[in-house]
């Protein structure tokens, strides 16, 4: 049976290449929703799903139609649409949105095989994260909000080196080769999805250090589409103005190379957007409250909530820079969007529906 309108699942899409911070973002997001999401209990230990009271996060790799051997044989990458089953993705996301449980396949990242399916019940909030949440127009139309994590090549390279060389023992050459090998399909199938995103977090090398190539200090842009229902962009000082702000001084400690914010209107793929940019990093996370107090429309429930969230997860990558700050803010905006939709549905529900609840 389909759910009543006021119980319908809200669907969020999060797109990015692998190794670009999706799971870190998910941890920040579910924390804002009020509880860490965990793998399903008693199920396949290699399940990619995360579940909390309110939120279920599914990984779109589970819709690979070709397993690792199949991809090798056909000579296609996981990024190629031919390696993915968009019909099934659409059917199942639609079913969940309509309040119907599904038997979702599991792509086992350890074995590279498709495992027997797992039961997914309709949550309040469904997040679909992976390579292609906005690729298929039918799936895209089911999304209530969409986010694209746009990590520039320089930064992607720096992160991969850090992870694959330091933690997995790969060589510099092999990391370079694997990024190069993915690039044509990334450019063809993944990157174009950013034009559809309601919010894009773009991560670039700093401009505060001339010719920096370390990729440690980052310039991060939060690109927010105008005119999206239930989503009003964040602003700095004065909505719609163009502002450049260096908060370092008496109230904020900054060591080299400092911090710089920019804010203003812009266009992005012919859409009107507001862009908030932070270059540099915080020395002391508790002083973030000073920056937070100058931002408006951040959808906090109390003064200092952004700073509190950032302090709570100071061990997550990106906590001292714009990646963590903007991921946290987007999490708050999604909570706000969810609450607005729920409130609107409750108000529109027929008389007597409230008594049943
Ligand atoms: P994904 O889920 O997209 O594969 P993760 O969130 O697991 O990505 O992050 C992969 C790796 O990328 C992390 O282990 C870390 O090394 C690096 N990383 C991710 N986000 C950041 C960030 N904001 N700042 C620095 N490094 C990051
Ligand atoms: C998953 C990831 C892809 C990655 C693939 C590995 O599907 O989302 O980004 O490329 O696994 O594929 P491979 O064919 O190298 O095992």
């Amino acid at each position: 049976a389909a759910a009543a309108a006021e119980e319908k699942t809200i669907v969020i899409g999060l797109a990015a290449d692998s190794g670009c911070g999706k799971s870190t973002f998910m941890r920040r997001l579910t924390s804002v929703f009020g509880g860490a999401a965990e793998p399903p209990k008693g199920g396949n230990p290699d399940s990619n799903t995360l579940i909390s009271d309110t939120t279920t996060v599914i990984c779109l790799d589970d819709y690979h139609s070709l397993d690792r051997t199949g991809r090798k044989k056909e000579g296609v990458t996981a990024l190629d649409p031919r390696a993915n089953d968009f019909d099934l993705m659409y059917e199942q996301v639609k079913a969940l949105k309509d309040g119907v449980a599904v038997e979702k396949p599991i792509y086992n990242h350890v074995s590279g095989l498709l495992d027997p399916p797992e039961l997914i019940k309709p949550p309040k909030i469904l997040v679909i994260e992976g390579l292609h949440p906005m690729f298929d127009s039918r799936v895209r139309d089911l999304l209530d909000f969409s986010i694209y994590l746009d990590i520039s090549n320089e930064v992607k390279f720096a992160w991969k080196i850090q992870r694959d060389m330091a933690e997995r023992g790969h060589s510099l050459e092999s990391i370079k080769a694997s990024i190069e090998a993915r690039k044509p399909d990334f450019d063809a199938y993944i990157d174009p999805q950013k034009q559809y995103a309601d919010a894009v977090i773009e991560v670039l090398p700093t401009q505060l250090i001339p010719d920096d190539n370390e990729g440690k200090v980052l310039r991060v842009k939060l690109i927010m589409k105008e005119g999206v229902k239930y989503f009003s962009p964040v602003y700095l000082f004065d909505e719609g103005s163009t502002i450049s702000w260096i908060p370092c001084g008496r109230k904020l400690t900054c060591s080299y190379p400092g911090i710089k914010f920019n804010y203003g209107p812009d266009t992005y793929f012919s859409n009107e957007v507001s862009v908030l940019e932070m270059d540099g990093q915080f020395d002391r996370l508790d002083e973030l409250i000073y920056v937070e107090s100058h931002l408006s429309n951040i959808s906090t429930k109390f003064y200092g909530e952004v700073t509190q969230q950032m302090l709570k997860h100071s061990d997550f990558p990106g906590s001292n820079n714009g990646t963590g700050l903007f991921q946290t803010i987007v999490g708050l905006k999604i909570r706000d969007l969810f609450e607005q939709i729920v409130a609107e549905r409750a108000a529109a529900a027929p008389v007597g529906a409230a008594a049943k609840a």
Side-chain angles (χ1 to χ4, degrees), residues 205-214 216-218 256-258 279:
T206 184
Q207 286 182 333
L208 300 172
I209 305 171
D211 305 316
D212 174 70
N213 50 22
E214 257 191 280
K216 288 234 158 63
V217 182
L218 302 174
Y256 181 81
D279 196 350

Side-chain angles (χ1 to χ4, degrees), residues 17-18 61 64 67-68 71-72 76-79 107 109 112 131 182:
D17 200 358
S18 51
D61 287 347
H64 282 334
D67 62 12
R68 194 171 289 156
R71 294 195 294 273
K72 285 243 161 65
V76 298
T77 70
L79 311 162
Y107 176 71
H109 284 97
L131 297 168
R182 287 172 75 91

Side-chain angles (χ1 to χ4, degrees), residues 69-216:
T69 321
R71 294 195 294 273
K72 285 243 161 65
K73 217 173 104 219
E74 301 291 324
V76 298
T77 70
L79 311 162
D80 193 310
R82 286 172 293 174
N84 297 280
D85 187 344
F86 289 101
D87 291 341
L88 185 65
M89 189 191 294
Y90 167 65
E91 270 167 39
Q92 298 205 332
V93 175
K94 175 147 190 349
L96 288 168
K97 190 160 184 164
D98 288 338
V100 180
V102 298
E103 290 281 346
K104 181 188 61 54
I106 297 175
Y107 176 71
N108 187 319
H109 284 97
V110 182
S111 66
L113 299 169
L114 286 154
D115 284 354
E118 62 183 350
L119 181 73
I120 304 289
K121 294 185 191 142
K124 287 189 173 139
I125 303 167
L126 173 70
V127 183
I128 59 171
E129 62 95 351
L131 297 168
H132 305 96
M134 287 99 88
F135 182 84
D136 183 284
S137 67
R138 297 165 303 171
V139 179
R140 197 161 70 226
D141 288 344
L142 294 171
L143 301 176
D144 293 289
F145 194 78
S146 55
I147 307 136
Y148 186 94
L149 293 184
D150 189 6
I151 314 299
S152 65
N153 277 322
E154 296 95 319
V155 176
K156 211 185 267 187
F157 189 56
W159 287 1
K160 281 246 185 221
I161 289 178
Q162 182 186 313
R163 186 176 73 174
D164 294 355
M165 239 167 111
E167 295 164 25
R168 299 184 181 174
H170 298 188
S171 73
L172 191 65
E173 288 317 309
S174 75
I175 297 167
K176 266 191 192 151
S178 89
I179 291 183
E180 283 308 311
R182 287 172 75 91
K183 192 139 189 326
D185 282 354
F186 175 80
D187 291 344
Y189 309 119
I190 311 305
D191 193 62
Q193 293 176 91
K194 63 191 182 193
Q195 67 188 289
Y196 304 114
D198 298 316
V200 175
I201 296 178
E202 194 175 308
V203 184
L204 303 153
T206 184
Q207 286 182 333
L208 300 172
I209 305 171
D211 305 316
D212 174 70
N213 50 22
E214 257 191 280
K216 288 234 158 63

Side-chain angles (χ1 to χ4, degrees), residues 226 240-242 263-267 273-275:
E226 294 289 342
S241 294
T242 296
Y263 162 75
D266 205 344
T267 53
V273 295
S274 280
V275 180

